[in-house]
Amino acid sequence: QSQPKPKPQPMEVHHHPHVEKKSFKEYLLEGLMIFLAVTMGFIAENIRENIAENHKAQELAENLYQEVKSDSIVIQQKIDLRLKKEKQMVYLRDFLRDSSLENLGSTFGKAAFWTYQVVSTILFEPQDGILLQLKNSNNFKFYKNKELQNAVGKYSVAINRVRTRNEQEYNVVDHFIRQETISHFDYKWQEKVTNDGQLTVPQLINNPQSIPEAPFFLQNKNTFSRVESSGIVSQYLLTTRGTTQLHYVEFKNANHELLEVLRKNYHLEKE
């Protein structure tokens, strides 16, 4: 017997769920929420970058302040030292012009020592490590202040002028003073007063009382010329005075101005 054929099943009818259409206001609200979320994220990122930039600017300002302040102390020390040297040079210049060159003592020796041997000790070498770091960083927050820009600019110019002038002054030493020293300076006198090098030049100039009385002898007196030697001292004196009165004082003023501007803009107090 044949099996009865199964009755065909009725096809299932899938009903799509009814989706309610959003209104224009709802679309507008969703768009506004997305816009606000993106905007708030952008603002938060700007705030974070602004805080980081401000912190970096403050850090650079504080480091620069310490560097500039350190040089403000050193430049004054160098100026004071140069003024002491100038007095000794004036004494030596006047003595060489018309005084007896016999029986020279430690007063003459000290003047000759200051003139011929105290050379690099009186030169001021400005620092600019932090300043260069600041320029290379291009920190907008630091440079946005015009007053600060001008002060940094003046300070940079003053540094370059000091360095150029130092080279010029040292050239005078190299071309005139060195040969004069080799020809006529009494190195035995220096060996005695320094205990054959046990006392350094800074120790002697900072404690002149430590220089003992000792006769000073001009070397090669037969080739010694009062006119030429006093002229060399005079030229060197003019050079050192020019360095001090123009370039070092200019640096000192630019240094002071930058310190004041940094204190004002970054709330840095005098210590």
Side-chain angles (χ1 to χ4, degrees):
Q1 294 182 355
S2 59
Q3 297 292 328
K5 292 182 180 180
K7 293 181 179 180
Q9 298 294 322
M11 294 181 64
E12 293 184 8
V13 178
H14 295 279
H15 297 282
H16 294 284
H18 176 70
V19 178
E20 185 178 350
K21 286 187 176 181
K22 295 182 180 179
S23 68
F24 175 75
K25 288 184 178 180
E26 289 176 312
Y27 280 115
L28 182 63
L29 181 61
E30 285 184 2
L32 182 60
M33 293 297 290
I34 293 172
F35 173 77
L36 287 175
V38 173
T39 302
M40 292 300 292
F42 179 76
I43 292 174
E45 181 63 18
N46 276 352
I47 292 174
R48 186 192 66 79
E49 291 181 357
N50 190 54
I51 292 174
E53 201 172 53
N54 282 333
H55 177 75
K56 182 63 175 177
Q58 182 71 29
E59 182 182 4
L60 285 170
E62 291 174 359
N63 291 339
L64 179 61
Y65 181 80
Q66 292 303 321
E67 181 176 83
V68 176
K69 184 180 178 182
S70 174
D71 270 356
S72 72
I73 297 171
V74 177
I75 186 64
Q76 187 58 56
Q77 291 173 340
K78 294 295 184 180
I79 289 175
D80 293 342
L81 192 61
R82 293 172 74 86
L83 294 176
K84 291 180 181 178
K85 172 163 178 163
E86 287 175 18
K87 289 181 179 180
Q88 296 294 335
M89 293 170 74
V90 168
Y91 174 87
L92 183 64
R93 177 201 64 190
D94 294 345
F95 196 100
L96 290 175
R97 283 175 176 171
D98 52 22
S99 300
S100 172
L101 300 178
E102 300 296 330
N103 301 318
L104 300 173
S106 283
T107 302
F108 179 91
K110 185 168 69 172
F113 174 75
W114 272 87
T115 301
Y116 299 128
Q117 303 290 23
V118 182
V119 176
S120 60
T121 310
I122 66 167
L123 292 177
F124 169 68
E125 297 291 343
Q127 305 177 77
D128 63 351
I130 303 299
L131 190 62
L132 291 176
Q133 179 185 340
L134 176 62
K135 289 179 179 178
N136 294 333
S137 73
N138 294 319
N139 188 283
F140 175 76
K141 288 296 181 182
F142 188 92
Y143 277 111
K144 70 177 183 178
N145 185 289
K146 276 289 183 184
E147 185 181 27
L148 193 54
Q149 289 179 31
N150 292 335
V152 169
K154 288 181 184 178
Y155 192 65
S156 297
V157 170
I159 287 177
N160 291 332
R161 287 180 176 172
V162 163
R163 287 175 173 164
T164 300
R165 182 63 181 192
N166 282 347
E167 291 180 8
Q168 294 172 348
E169 182 172 310
Y170 203 82
N171 283 337
V172 172
V173 173
D174 203 36
H175 286 90
F176 299 102
I177 299 298
R178 293 299 184 208
Q179 188 55 52
E180 184 75 1
T181 307
I182 292 170
S183 298
H184 304 297
F185 187 75
D186 187 355
Y187 283 98
K188 289 183 178 179
W189 179 89
Q190 182 168 333
E191 290 164 7
K192 181 174 182 178
V193 299
T194 62
N195 194 18
D196 203 13
Q198 294 301 307
L199 291 175
T200 64
V201 171
Q203 285 174 325
L204 283 176
I205 62 180
N206 290 323
N207 187 21
Q209 292 79 13
S210 64
I211 299 179
E213 284 295 327
F216 188 99
F217 298 97
L218 280 175
Q219 307 303 301
N220 303 309
K221 288 181 66 174
N222 58 318
T223 61
F224 181 80
S225 167
R226 287 178 180 271
V227 174
E228 183 176 351
S229 293
S230 62
I232 289 173
V233 175
S234 296
Q235 180 59 49
Y236 186 28
L237 176 60
L238 288 173
T239 303
T240 56
R241 278 178 172 168
T243 303
T244 304
Q245 296 171 0
L246 298 177
H247 300 82
Y248 282 21
V249 169
E250 177 191 25
F251 176 88
K252 181 181 175 181
N253 292 338
N255 177 285
H256 177 75
E257 180 180 341
L258 181 53
L259 286 175
E260 288 297 319
V261 173
L262 286 170
R263 291 189 191 109
K264 174 182 174 182
N265 287 275
Y266 289 94
H267 311 292
L268 301 169
E269 300 297 332
K270 294 182 180 180
E271 295 180 5

